[in-house]
Amino acid sequence: MVRRLTRWSLLLLVCCAMVSAAHAVEQTFYFTSLQYGSIDTKRNAPPFASNSDYLSSLESEYGAVSYDPKVEPTVISFEYYRVDGYVGIGFSIDLLSGIAQNDPPSGVFLLPNYNQEFQFSGGSRVTTETIGLLYGLSFYGRFGFFYPFVGLGTGNYLTKVEEYLIDSGGANSYSVVFGEVLEPYYYKWGVRFPSGEYGVMLSQYYIRAPLTVESRNKTLELGGVGTFFGFYMGF
């Protein structure tokens, strides 16, 4: 019994010494990254509830809607961490743009935007051009060959909505609406696999970004659940 206690006591002392040594080292890390992937706008980001009713209001007048629920923004990120030992806390900024979609860039907000199109059975069409900015706190781990992270925060979305509508009598109408989501909410998690100062990364985003389309005073959800893969550089 004494031997067992002695072994456990020695193990506990060694662990305490390792933790104390780790906490004695404070470092600052910066990361920039470029990621590609998609966001499924039909998937709600739990626990956020979706109250999107813009498309259903149009369906009642212009027929059934069909569209690809996945959008493909490019995510450009900058992150700052203050690490104490193996864990740290910091700040992250994510720009969701359409750099990979527009060649040459054709953004209406001075930066390339990503697009989505909605087709109605009666011949009407709605298109959106969006750019998003997310920022918030991030928590970081540094464990050998992988660096996990989680984050949460808010941001801002800018969107241009173009409506090409054909009513039952054949009359056409066209309108352009610019909208803004002032307080989207998001959380994310991911992991980096380092190779020196560079590496690859995988991340998952959960975003709620309800846009009020002023032409009908209805809500169109711009967020969803997204998966991205890309490359990063640390310095």
Side-chain angles (χ1 to χ4, degrees), residues 50-129:
S50 175
N51 57 348
S52 183
D53 54 2
Y54 171 71
L55 294 177
S56 60
S57 71
L58 291 176
E59 282 187 297
S60 63
E61 298 181 42
Y62 303 104
V65 64
S66 61
Y67 65 99
D68 184 354
K70 291 187 177 181
V71 295
E72 298 180 342
T74 305
V75 180
I76 304 171
S77 302
F78 174 80
E79 296 168 88
Y80 160 86
Y81 292 99
R82 185 65 177 172
V83 179
D84 185 357
Y86 298 111
V87 295
I89 186 172
F91 184 78
S92 67
I93 300 175
D94 301 314
L95 176 67
L96 282 66
S97 72
I99 289 178
Q101 292 185 7
N102 298 316
D103 188 19
S106 59
V108 295
F109 303 109
L110 303 180
L111 290 169
N113 45 257
Y114 61 92
N115 311 319
Q116 192 168 25
E117 183 173 274
F118 307 90
Q119 295 280 355
F120 294 85
S121 58
S124 298
R125 176 166 57 94
V126 173
T127 62
T128 63
E129 301 178 12

Side-chain angles (χ1 to χ4, degrees), residues 177-227:
V177 180
F178 290 92
E180 183 176 12
V181 183
L182 294 174
E183 292 185 349
Y185 300 100
Y186 80 93
Y187 58 95
K188 65 180 180 179
W189 62 267
V191 62
R192 294 183 179 87
F193 299 96
S195 178
E197 296 180 350
Y198 305 91
V200 297
M201 63 185 297
L202 176 70
S203 60
Q204 188 88 354
Y205 285 75
Y206 302 84
I207 304 169
R208 182 178 185 269
L211 171 72
T212 299
V213 183
E214 293 184 356
S215 61
R216 291 181 170 263
N217 199 30
K218 300 292 184 180
T219 301
L220 176 64
E221 178 59 61
L222 302 177
V225 179
T227 302

Side-chain angles (χ1 to χ4, degrees), residues 122-173:
S124 298
R125 176 166 57 94
V126 173
T127 62
T128 63
E129 301 178 12
T130 304
I131 188 166
L133 181 69
L134 302 174
Y135 50 84
L137 290 175
S138 288
F139 303 90
Y140 171 78
R142 190 176 177 89
F143 305 109
F145 63 91
F146 72 101
Y147 301 164
F149 62 90
V150 296
L152 74 164
T154 183
N156 186 271
Y157 270 71
L158 296 174
T159 302
K160 174 186 175 184
V161 181
E162 293 186 90
E163 300 175 329
Y164 307 84
L165 303 178
I166 305 172
D167 63 22
S168 57
N172 298 334
S173 65

Side-chain angles (χ1 to χ4, degrees), residues 9-29:
S9 299
L10 289 174
L11 182 60
L12 182 60
L13 287 173
V14 171
C15 291
C16 290
M18 293 175 63
V19 171
S20 298
H23 280 280
V25 180
E26 292 188 358
Q27 295 175 288
T28 300
F29 292 95

